[in-house]
DNA sequence: GATGAATGAGGATTCATTCAT
DNA sequence: CATGAATGAATCCTCATTCAT
């Protein structure tokens, strides 16, 4: 049985560690979103976080491992957010979800652009973190497919919609819009994009158009 | 004025140069699509092309400059292809264009994935080749906007469509689908995706859905 | 003056310390014999022993100091063994000693190979632990010289043998055989080697050959 | 067909390269023999050779590869020397060979001690260059075995000698003596050692002692 | 006493770039 | 024109060591 002192001390050590880890992750996300994965050095991450050059290596073992953790971290945060939102019909969920997604990219939160940047860095076949990103993508598509099934049950989504194909197109669209927002922020007018995006998705969900 | 002999000789030199340059570009695209921009070295490009380690440097001056030329090169090829296709109504052009785009990503041609990879590497704000990619994107969006205008004139596209927002969503979707195809090729079923994509875009172009 | 209770407690502390130290030494010897001195980290030693990363540092002060202690430890163990064996004539002692030495290198005991490994790491002039190894070597040679003197007194060893030269050759042979057993264990056939080694040393001790 | 100019130029380039490579190898051997493998950095090798920090990496690809080349280099040089000496009976060859070997370790040539140092660094099971050293050792033992067979044919070596066991003992002895010379140069008196070594080997080769 | 958090030096490796041939 | 020799900056990674708890 640990004495109180030991408990406190251990607690504090753990806290210190958690604090440092959080600072490192935050710093990594910021640097990655501005400089990219390849140009972000572990040393820089440590120093921007207010620690030493070696700490990020020491904690995460390797740069690859750090990136993987950042991806998981971002996915976890994303799922948390999603869960809070679930409301209304399937169609509403998808339309509003897209809207929220785009809206976020005008936030000061560095996690969102950083995820897109890591996603972009993972495109080459031989990339190191393909696995983690592939899982994150598939997990997102799975949620989309489920929401479509739900919408088709509640009547808000047309039976013409193919869940599998749609999930790829929908996810692709969100990522692709976010990417353009990173590349040419000055050209991306949030209002117009968000309005058109909602119309776009709404139309696609309500059935094979030419028929009506 | 050069003598005929000199002209011939010069011509042959120019041809050789063009040949070598093409080989280098091809080799660069292949390497980039498998290894990514950061992990592709100029020396490797030269050697894979069957030339010396120094040639890529010699011709392109710097790595940044090479990447920029690759982007321009890809854009030029893309425009050539587009121009050949333009036929039918505006709506048809957009639907078929998307279909073609996706189809290409199942080709053995390395230029297509390489462009996506370079695009992915350019997402961070401080990336080197943002300018070239931004121009390529904007140029693509301009074509999309024009096609929408045409379609709205010829009646194949609803007036509800906002050309500016649509161009971002549409281009984003194509890029995002291509990216997913790079990340998880085994999950991307071309038939389903292409069919749903056509439906998706068709629906979006034919008007604000809920109304009908 | 400590109370009885304190004494017991202190005793237990001391025992614990000794236990931990032994575990650390054992773990260090194992790691060194497989990974070498340079690639064995203090943290790994602690963790393999079932303790913390910092304990080896804490107990031994520095890596150099640990290595020195390991060398002394091995030497002490070796001397203990030697003392138990001393029996028969000087010649017998040397022949049997060599045989025992070689035999040990087929044991599962990690201390024997670890000593050879540390010895190998100490060969460069500027090595850290030259002093400790040099003392161990010289101490071994001293014993050999004494045994020769004894053998020359008891008549089992020829007067032609030069104790100083012989001690170097004999010790070198043992170390060199052990080293080969580490490098190519599959090629070292213990029976042949031990038989020939006994013959070899026996012949050398019994006098300047060509004369007889 | 190359022009004369090209030939000259290419020649000179090759010469430059060979010169640099030789300087690097020389510098590496010197540094390794004084500081050991682990403490010799590629940067230091390059700079001591009068070149840049990066050159050794650039040429040899990796430290492991450099060490392997140094071992091969040393083995090649050794074989050259051996071939020049072969003369006399088998027994003479072995006695004189040992003498030469020991004598060399009092030379200013850094290759000899460096090989012993690399050999020592290779003793741990998981060492990187075990393969190269194992081959060098086995190649040396093969020569020894052949010489014994020759000596047994020409009558200079007793039939009692077991070639396999002897080759291990003999090579071990040479390496072990050389190692002691590195560890305690001040204690190694060349004359005594060489004289005793010759007697030692001579006795061992002339037959199982006690019989005579 | 024991743990493990944090540091920072040291070194291997990669590679764009420059330059002599 | 083309080659490849040589440079040196950049960065990952390992680890002994120090120190707070």
């Amino acid at each position: 049985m640990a004495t109180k002192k030991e408990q406190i001390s251990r607690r504090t050590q753990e806290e210190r560690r958690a604090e440092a880890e959080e600072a490192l992750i935050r710093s990594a996300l910021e640097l990655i979103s501005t400089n990219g994965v390849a140009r972000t050095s572990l040393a820089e991450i440590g120093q921007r976080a207010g620690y030493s050059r070696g700490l990020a290596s020491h904690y995460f073992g390797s740069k690859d491992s750090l990136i993987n953790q950042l991806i998981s971290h971002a996915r976890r945060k994303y799922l948390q957010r999603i869960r809070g939102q679930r409301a209304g019909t399937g169609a509403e969920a998808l339309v509003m979800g897209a809207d929220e997604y785009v809206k976020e990219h005008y936030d000061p939160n560095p996690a969102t652009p950083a995820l897109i940047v890591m996603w972009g860095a993972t495109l080459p076949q031989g990339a190191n973190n393909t696995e983690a990103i592939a899982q994150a993508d598939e997990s997102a598509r799975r949620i989309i497919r489920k929401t479509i099934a739900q919408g088709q049950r509640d009547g808000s989504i047309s039976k013409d919609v193919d869940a599998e194909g749609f999930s790829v197109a929908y996810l692709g669209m969100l990522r692709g819009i976010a990417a353009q927002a990173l590349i040419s922020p000055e050209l991306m007018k949030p209002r117009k994009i968000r309005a058109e995006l909602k119309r776009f998705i709404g139309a696609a969900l309500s059935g094979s158009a030419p028929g009506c």
Side-chain angles (χ1 to χ4, degrees), chain A:
Chain A
M1 214 227 271
T3 68
K4 198 172 176 185
K5 197 182 168 190
E6 275 169 335
Q7 277 188 350
I8 286 173
S9 131
R10 185 169 292 170
R11 237 257 182 99
T12 313
Q13 289 259 62
E14 274 174 21
E15 277 174 1
R16 266 218 279 171
R17 162 102 195 199
E19 201 181 307
E21 207 164 309
E22 205 183 282
L24 288 175
I25 286 180
R26 182 184 195 76
S27 149
L29 290 172
E30 286 166 5
L31 287 167
I32 284 172
S33 79
T34 59
N35 300 334
V37 173
R39 293 192 166 197
T40 294
S41 74
L42 293 177
E44 208 183 351
I45 291 171
Q47 284 181 315
R48 170 179 253 257
Y51 292 88
S52 69
R53 289 187 300 155
L55 196 59
S57 269
H58 192 55
Y59 276 5
F60 300 105
S62 72
K63 191 170 179 178
D64 281 1
S65 159
L66 166 62
I67 302 293
N68 278 330
Q69 285 192 237
L70 293 179
I71 293 169
S72 307
H73 182 264
R75 178 160 69 150
R76 236 176 298 127
K77 293 261 167 178
Y78 175 71
L79 290 178
Q80 283 173 9
R81 242 179 301 127
I82 288 294
R83 259 168 217 150
Q85 293 173 356
R86 205 172 282 170
T89 65
E92 281 165 16
L94 289 172
V95 170
M96 297 312 296
D99 196 45
E100 289 286 335
Y101 186 89
V102 171
K103 203 172 72 181
E104 252 165 51
H105 283 270
Y106 296 92
D107 278 10
N109 175 12
T112 330
L115 182 60
I116 293 287
V117 168
M118 291 187 286
W119 178 79
T122 306
L123 302 184
Q125 290 169 30
N128 285 326
N129 308 97
T130 311
E131 194 55 30
I133 280 284
Q135 280 176 16
D137 270 15
E138 178 54 16
S139 142
R141 285 190 298 260
R142 195 178 310 122
I143 292 172
I144 297 166
R145 277 186 253 118
K146 279 188 190 162
T147 312
I148 289 171
Q150 180 204 328
Q152 288 176 330
R153 265 182 274 116
D154 70 25
S156 65
I157 295 179
S158 159
K159 304 275 182 194
D160 292 336
V161 172
D162 173 62
E164 203 170 333
F166 187 91
S167 68
V168 174
Y170 177 92
L171 180 64
M173 190 158 61
L174 297 192
R175 298 256 201 259
I177 292 171
Q180 286 173 83
L182 288 178
I183 293 170
S184 309
E186 73 291 354
L187 296 181
M188 298 297 115
K189 302 180 184 161
R191 266 186 226 174
K192 284 203 169 182
I193 291 170
R194 285 169 62 191
E196 176 62 14
L197 179 63
K198 284 195 270 190
R199 200 200 57 73
F200 197 144
I201 295 173
L205 291 173
S206 65
S208 68
C212 67

